[in-house]
Amino acid sequence: NALLEKRVEERTEQLVAANKELEAFSYSVSHDLRAPLRAVDGFSRILQEDYDDKLDAEGRRVLNVIRNSSQEMGRLIDDLLAFSRLGRAEMSLADVDMNALVRSVVDEMRREIGTLPQLDLRPLPRARGNSSLLRQVWINLLSNAVKFSAKAEQPHIEVGGYPEGSAQVYYVKDNGAGFDMKYYDKLFGVFQRLHRNDEYPGTGVGLAIVQRVVSKHGGKVWAQGAVKQGATFFFTLPG
């Protein structure tokens, strides 16, 4: 038993070290990609502004593709950096009023987006966690619900929670595009997307961040959905 425990301890240390190296690598690569990408976007913007009259229609189209692609890569890098920072984030825990937290997120979204779908905000149990990280969970889940329900005839989002054993369960439900459950394994992967970018823009990192934050709290994340019948995302936190 002592030998087995020693081996488990050694393997755990190796895994922790490997994870730290991977996080440092992803952060370094993402950070170093910023400079050349800014150059591509900056010089293509200068070309667009100063030489637009010298380009034909096809030239302007190609230039727009370059600028749009560089800006999309910039968003991917930002999301990758945010994801890698989570691995190094310090976890200071406190009691969190989830009702107040969700209301503040909704108010912020209203200021940024304007009109939101019909929102049914049900009472939420308090939780124990890191308020700033949990705020990012709600931002990502609610933003997804708004985005994917936008094309519904009457967009509707429901937010709720309930106790289950020693944990608290929270959920965000929408009546939007939904997803095919046979692709469920891709749902929480980094840069994995189940919808075309021209239909629903995004980088495919939001749900990976949700899962990572909830896992750091000792909880779990799962989802249910059907194509064109909406989706519900659940997560648990210690009570």
Side-chain angles (χ1 to χ4, degrees):
N1 287 340
L3 181 60
L4 182 60
E5 288 178 6
K6 182 173 174 42
R7 286 180 177 173
V8 169
E9 186 178 337
E10 289 174 351
R11 294 291 172 85
T12 302
E13 289 176 356
Q14 292 171 0
L15 183 59
V16 169
N19 281 337
K20 287 182 177 179
E21 287 179 7
L22 184 60
E23 287 166 2
F25 173 75
S26 64
Y27 183 87
S28 176
V29 168
S30 301
H31 189 270
D32 292 344
L33 283 173
R34 283 172 173 269
L37 190 62
R38 278 197 297 265
V40 171
D41 187 51
F43 280 103
S44 59
R45 177 175 54 80
I46 292 171
L47 187 63
Q48 192 175 50
E49 292 175 353
D50 296 350
Y51 297 90
D52 185 71
D53 57 338
K54 295 180 174 62
L55 297 171
D56 60 11
E58 179 61 13
R60 285 191 289 271
R61 186 193 69 80
V62 170
L63 192 55
N64 278 327
V65 170
I66 294 172
R67 290 214 64 202
N68 290 337
S69 297
S70 63
Q71 289 166 10
E72 176 65 16
M73 188 174 180
R75 288 189 287 271
L76 286 169
I77 290 173
D78 289 341
D79 284 349
L80 183 58
L81 284 170
F83 186 73
S84 64
R85 286 190 192 106
L86 284 176
R88 302 188 303 277
E90 293 295 327
M91 284 285 290
S92 56
L93 304 180
D95 288 331
V96 180
D97 183 344
M98 296 295 253
N99 293 290
L101 188 59
V102 169
R103 284 195 297 268
S104 70
V105 170
V106 170
D107 289 342
E108 181 182 320
M109 292 176 66
R110 281 202 177 102
R111 288 193 296 271
E112 292 181 359
I113 301 174
T115 304
L116 293 178
Q118 180 185 347
L119 277 171
D120 181 5
L121 301 179
R122 303 191 174 187
L124 300 172
R126 296 179 70 88
R128 180 84 176 162
N130 182 287
S131 181
S132 61
L133 291 180
L134 292 178
R135 181 182 181 83
Q136 191 61 52
V137 168
W138 287 114
I139 288 173
N140 289 2
L141 290 180
L142 287 168
S143 297
N144 270 7
V146 169
K147 175 170 66 175
F148 289 111
S149 65
K151 297 179 181 179
E153 188 174 338
Q154 293 182 319
H156 179 266
I157 298 171
E158 178 185 317
V159 178
Y162 51 88
E164 188 173 88
S166 61
Q168 308 288 6
V169 181
Y170 304 90
Y171 66 87
V172 177
K173 180 180 181 180
D174 69 70
N175 64 341
F179 62 91
D180 192 330
M181 288 292 287
K182 71 181 180 181
Y183 300 118
Y184 183 85
D185 290 346
K186 293 185 175 183
L187 205 56
F188 297 100
V190 180
F191 301 142
Q192 296 288 335
R193 306 195 69 240
L194 303 187
H195 301 274
R196 295 203 318 269
N197 201 55
D198 56 348
E199 291 180 315
Y200 299 98
T203 59
V205 178
L207 290 179
I209 288 176
V210 168
Q211 186 179 54
R212 191 157 197 178
V213 169
V214 173
S215 294
K216 283 176 74 73
H217 282 80
K220 60 180 181 178
V221 182
W222 71 98
Q224 298 171 353
V227 177
K228 296 183 180 179
Q229 295 182 40
T232 307
F233 287 84
F234 302 85
F235 67 95
T236 64
L237 294 172

